[in-house]
Amino acid sequence: LSPTGCRASPSLALIKYWGKRDARNNTPATPSVAVTLGGLTTQTHVTLAEQDRVTVGDDPQPSARYEAFFRGVRAFLGCRHGFQAVSRNDFPTSAGLASSSSGFAALACACVWASDVEPPMSRLSELARLGSASAARAVWGGFVLLPRGARAAVQLWPPEHWPELRILAVITREGAKGTPTRDAMASTRAHSPYYRAWVRSSRRILPEALRAVADRDLERLGEVARTSSNRMHAVMLASRPPLRYWTPESVAVMDVCAELRGRGVGAWETLDAGPQVKVLCLETDRGAIETALGERLPALRVLRAWPGAGVQRV
Ligand code: PMV
């Protein structure tokens, strides 16, 4: 086993995955469409070890979170040894910036490539999914689809398809950690009366999102992405006990976006399992949006992202 490093970027869902079809295999109940966020990176280095050990930044990770993943990797490689992985994000971890997507994508590729095996990318996407379904998407760059119930994601378009697209990640709360997605999804499915409607509506809006990305139509994409995000948070809010990831600052950013759209500036928000807000826009409007956020919410940090590459060796 040769020490191997990989770099990956998080996968931001435009149409959200929320809910598992099959919890054991970690397959999604809803289809998701995502863009891989160039500008934000996770770097992971893997070496052989007696036991599996993962650290993210300076924090040792709970081994239970990685058990099914490493079991799948060992079954695929036909090996019995463990892996030691050291991972670093250049953006806030576990705060709803999808660090688990880039984390497991980089980890899956690093474990396999370190073993001198070169399977097709779709196989790597399958392995990454065992850790986190959104990681199945982050293996690929550009615009990516994870169909409902699928074991692997597929690339729809490379990053060059829409180079003017920007994603501004507004950090509303540093170091935030909410309910882990696994528990939150299980709770939504079991305790939200709107769960079936959520799954059905995701399937219905999918073609609209695919067309909007194909046509590079920001207004249409922004509208449908915002709808998917709002419906995902609505189904969670209706759960018992309720799940609420939004904070007053998240809502304040959403208000700034609404105000900007009222002035003809295309700024469309989407939120995941955390308080941070990602704003979809075009490069031509980026300055106006950053200025408005800086004036209204000067304490908030804004990270810039764009359609980026999939997993790469470092
Ligand atoms: O793949 P997970 O378990 O980190 O779940 C991701 C869930 C969302 O980020 C909220 C939506 C998505 O499709 O990425």
Side-chain angles (χ1 to χ4, degrees), residues 11 13 16-18 32 100 132-134 137 181 185 232 272-273:
S11 169
K16 307 291 189 192
Y17 145 57
W18 193 259
S32 54
S100 67
S132 181
S134 56
R137 302 186 313 239
T181 56
M185 284 185 199
M232 179 183 77
D272 294 289

Side-chain angles (χ1 to χ4, degrees), residues 11-20 26 30-34 65 96-101 104 129 131-137 146 180-182 185 232-233 236 245 271-274 278:
S11 169
L12 170 69
L14 304 165
I15 296 297
K16 307 291 189 192
Y17 145 57
W18 193 259
K20 297 183 194 300
N26 204 31
T30 63
S32 54
V33 178
R65 177 71 186 85
L97 283 180
S99 58
S100 67
S101 64
F104 277 107
R129 189 204 77 247
S132 181
S134 56
R137 302 186 313 239
L146 179 62
T181 56
R182 205 162 277 252
M185 284 185 199
M232 179 183 77
H233 289 277
M236 292 191 224
Y245 288 103
L271 287 88
D272 294 289
K278 292 81 164 194

Side-chain angles (χ1 to χ4, degrees), residues 162 164-167 216-219 266-267 279-287 289:
W162 197 352
E164 306 82 17
L165 183 69
R166 292 292 174 273
I167 303 92
R216 293 183 281 265
D217 181 340
L218 181 79
E219 188 167 347
V279 181
L280 303 170
C281 65
L282 297 178
E283 171 59 23
T284 43
D285 283 334
R286 180 180 56 75
I289 297 166

